[in-house]
Every structure is written in C-alpha cells, then in structure tokens.
Amino acid sequence: MPRVVPDQRTKFENDELFRKLSRESEIRYTGYRDRSLEERQVRFQASCREGHADIAFVATGTNLPLSFLSNAWSENKSIKSPTREFVDFEREVGKVHLKSQFIMNGVCVTWRGWVDLQRLDGIGYMEYDEERAMVEDVIRKEALDEQSRRLREFEDRQRRHREELERAAEAEMEARRRVGRPDTLPCSSGAPTVSKAC
C-alpha cells in the first residue's frame, strides 16, 4: 500500500487542515502533563536531545509525536540521529529550534518551530517537503507497477488453471461419449467393444 497520495502538492495546498498548519501558530509541549513544570522542562530537553517530543498546535488541537532525526526516512536506525539541523539549542538563548520530517495524511511535510525552554510553548508551522515528495512518488509508482505485475501474473495463473480444468472436462466428456457410442456392444468379458469384434 503506497504511503503517499498521487498528487501530494495539491492535497497540501487545498486540504483545510494543511492550510491551517502551514501558518505560523502557537505550539505547546504536551508530554508529562501530570508532572511539575520543572520536571517537564527537564524531560522536554532530554527528549529533544534523544530526538523526539510531543508537540500540539494550540489553535487546531492537532497533536504530533515528532521525531527530530536526520535520515528520518532511512530504514537503518544506526544512522538516524538528532543533529543541530533538527535540534538547535544554540541559535537563541532560552529556546530550542526544531525540525521534523514525516508523512501526514499521505503528504510529505517538514515541521519547523521553536519552543521556549521555560514556558514550553512557542511557534511552529508545517511546509510541503518537495524533495521527499518526489522520492516517495517514485516509490509509490514502483509499488503500483509491482502490484499490477503481480495481479497480471495471478490472473494468468487463474486463466491457465481454468483452461486446464476445461480441457480435462472436455477429455472426460469425450471419453464418456466413446464408451456410450451406439456402435459398441458389451462382449462376454464385460468390456465395451465394437459388435463385429465379438
């Protein structure tokens, strides 16, 4: 099953949710809500350094479990790591700037934002990830081609099987016709044969 829709850009530009999320909006860290502010601050920074955090767009109530890892698309977990491009504590004092790439509702997107390390809120937005969308579109087309090939092979096997069954049925009917022909009579041995040969 393909991970992306056929026309990602159109969906990103026309979908109401994407239009809302593509505007700079207030965001908030949502992890560990039952803990004290001080503990949440420590846990948030630790999570960011590990490469993940739960962030919500306040206006829409959209909660995102974000991953701040380079090579996020790779299947090889050993090369995934939070780099400064994705988690930057040094750009502004008291804030962390974050970046996350993922597929949402069949569209490749990049989320960008910053969070105040004291208040645990900030500003974030989502943008269309053109580069990754092209890669995923090639993967989608290859998957559909493979699915079509397998379907054709399955239909060919089914057709050959039906033809074999039809040939076997015709052969059986022909054999029954030969046994029941009017110019054959049973001999004393019980085997059907032509009357002149008995």
Side-chain angles (χ1 to χ4, degrees):
M1 185 72 183
R3 301 191 300 181
V4 295
V5 296
D7 190 351
Q8 297 179 64
R9 179 177 287 284
T10 300
K11 180 165 183 178
F12 183 82
E13 291 172 351
N14 296 320
D15 185 278
E16 185 63 30
L17 179 61
F18 283 125
R19 282 206 303 249
K20 288 178 181 175
L21 299 181
S22 64
R23 297 184 207 113
E24 285 194 351
S25 308
E26 184 184 352
I27 58 170
R28 187 169 293 143
Y29 172 61
T30 59
Y32 303 99
R33 290 184 205 176
D34 58 333
R35 306 295 173 91
S36 68
L37 178 61
E38 294 77 20
E39 184 177 350
R40 292 183 74 227
Q41 291 166 345
V42 171
R43 286 184 181 265
F44 171 67
Q45 290 186 43
S47 294
C48 288
R49 288 189 170 88
E50 290 169 7
H52 61 87
D54 295 332
I55 303 288
F57 282 89
V58 176
T60 62
T62 305
N63 290 289
L64 300 172
L66 298 175
S67 175
F68 313 118
L69 302 174
S70 59
N71 302 306
W73 308 107
S74 174
E75 297 296 323
N76 184 353
K77 293 184 179 181
S78 65
I79 65 170
K80 294 181 180 182
S81 61
T83 63
R84 192 166 170 194
E85 177 188 358
F86 293 85
V87 180
D88 189 351
F89 284 96
E90 298 173 20
R91 190 185 304 179
E92 281 186 80
V93 176
K95 295 180 181 177
V96 60
H97 286 260
L98 302 167
K99 174 182 171 184
S100 181
Q101 297 173 303
F102 54 97
I103 297 171
M104 179 175 176
N105 296 345
V107 179
C108 293
V109 295
T110 299
W111 179 92
R112 297 177 191 274
W114 59 264
V115 176
D116 183 286
L117 297 175
Q118 296 300 312
R119 296 190 322 266
L120 300 180
D121 61 10
I123 299 294
Y125 66 95
M126 200 175 282
E127 61 189 15
Y128 179 61
D129 190 338
E130 178 88 39
E131 186 178 326
R132 188 62 205 180
M134 289 191 296
V135 172
E136 286 293 330
D137 198 49
V138 169
I139 293 169
R140 181 187 66 80
K141 287 176 182 171
E142 288 173 354
L144 290 175
D145 289 345
E146 177 67 13
Q147 186 179 12
S148 296
R149 184 188 63 77
R150 287 184 178 182
L151 182 60
R152 280 193 306 274
E153 288 176 357
F154 174 75
E155 288 171 347
D156 287 345
R157 283 195 305 271
Q158 291 291 94
R159 181 182 45 76
R160 285 194 301 271
H161 181 66
R162 278 194 307 272
E163 288 171 357
E164 287 172 12
L165 289 176
E166 288 170 5
R167 281 195 297 273
E170 287 172 6
E172 186 178 331
M173 287 179 65
E174 182 61 31
R176 286 185 181 176
R177 258 188 258 131
R178 275 193 227 129
V179 170
R181 281 184 10 203
D183 60 342
T184 59
L185 296 170
C187 290
S188 57
S189 66
T193 180
V194 178
S195 56
K196 292 176 184 176
C198 293

